Amino acid sequence: MAAAVSKVMRVQDLVLVAQKIRVVTRFRGTLGLRGRLSTRLQPNHPTDEPAGIAASILDGLLYGNGDAMIGINPATDSLSSICALLEMLDAIIQRYDIPTQACVLTHVTTSIEAINRGVPLDLVFQSIAGTEAANASFGINLNLLQEGYDAGLSLNRGTLGQNLMYFETGQGSALSANAHHGVDQQTCETRAYAVARHFKPFLVNTVVGFIGPEYLYNGKQIIRAGLEDHFCGKLLGVPMGCDICYTNHAEADQDDMDTLLTLLGVAGINFIMGIPGSDDIMLNYQTTSFHDALYARQTLGLKPAPEFEGWLARMGIFTQADGRVRFGDNLPPAFRQALAQLR
C-alpha cells in the first residue's frame, strides 16, 4: 500500500508528507530530530590502508561529518582485516571521545564472528531486499538477522539507546537477482523496509542509483526513486537515509545529485553520505561529499545530531556563534598533531 500511494504522488507530495514524519533513533547520538541532518562518514580505501582511511576520517570530521556513523566498505572480507578496521575505528572514537558509532559493512555472519572474538563492534550491517529469494541471494534470512541483532545487543555499547542495526537497500536488487517474482522495483523495495523495521535499526538507507541505468536509467528516475524510497520508509516507521548516488555509465551527473540532496533535505531525511570529493575510490561510484553536507545544512538551516554538534563546538571545529567550520590555526591541538602525523 505504501508503494502504491507513492506512485500516484507528485514530487511535492513526496516531500511534504515525508517532512511531517520523524523517526528518531539512538545509540551514542540521537538521529532523526527535526532541524537536523546527519551524515555517514565513508572513508573507503581500495586496499584498506590505515593511513588513507585515517586521513579521510580526519578530513570528514573537520567538515562536520560523521554523526550518523563512521562506516567503511572493506576491500576484503578477511576476518582479520575486518577486526583490525573495527579496532582502529573504536580507537579513534575513544581517543577523541566522539559521540558517534562505527561500522564495517561486512556480511552479518562476519560481524557475528567478530563479536564472538570480543572485537569492539557498534553497528551490525547487512544489505537486505524485499523478497525471501533476494535475501537468500545475499546469504541471509530472518533468523540470521535476528542472530546478528542479538549478538549486537549482547555488547551493550550504546550510551543513549540500543538501536544498532544498519541496513542498506536499493531499487533493483530483487530484479538483478531474478528474485522479484514479477513484482515491480518500488514494491519490492518497500517490502525491504518491513524487514528492517522488525529489528529496530539505527540507520537504513537506499543506495538509490548504485546498481546502474539497467534499473534506474537517468537522473530524473534516480531523483524520483530517492524521494519514493524516503517517503515509503518514513511512512513505515523506518529511520531513512539515502546514498544519493549514480554510476559512471548512467545518464546522470552531479547536478542531479544536488537536486535530490536539496529535495531530501527539505523532506527531512535522517542522513546522507559524506565521501572525499564525492568520488568513492574503492566502490567506483559518485555520491555526496563532505562539502555537500555543509551546503545542505547551511542552505536549509539544519544542524548535526545534538551530541555531535556539542562535540564539534568543544573541539573548536564549529564555533558556538554561527555553526560554521573553522580551519587552519583554529584547529584544536589534538587535530593539528594528527594532521602533522599524516603528512
Side-chain angles (χ1 to χ4, degrees), residues 91-120:
I92 292 172
I93 290 172
Q94 297 301 325
R95 177 178 178 182
Y96 296 108
D97 195 24
I98 309 172
T100 190
Q101 33 286 317
C103 184
V104 175
L105 281 67
T106 187
H107 196 269
V108 63
T109 54
T110 307
S111 294
I112 293 170
E113 182 57 33
I115 291 170
N116 291 338
R117 295 188 178 199
V119 175

Side-chain angles (χ1 to χ4, degrees), residues 160-181:
L160 300 180
Q162 290 297 324
N163 300 116
L164 55 82
M165 298 298 285
Y166 173 38
F167 295 120
E168 283 192 342
T169 68
Q171 286 193 35
S173 58
L175 178 58
S176 67
N178 194 28
H180 60 298
H181 307 293

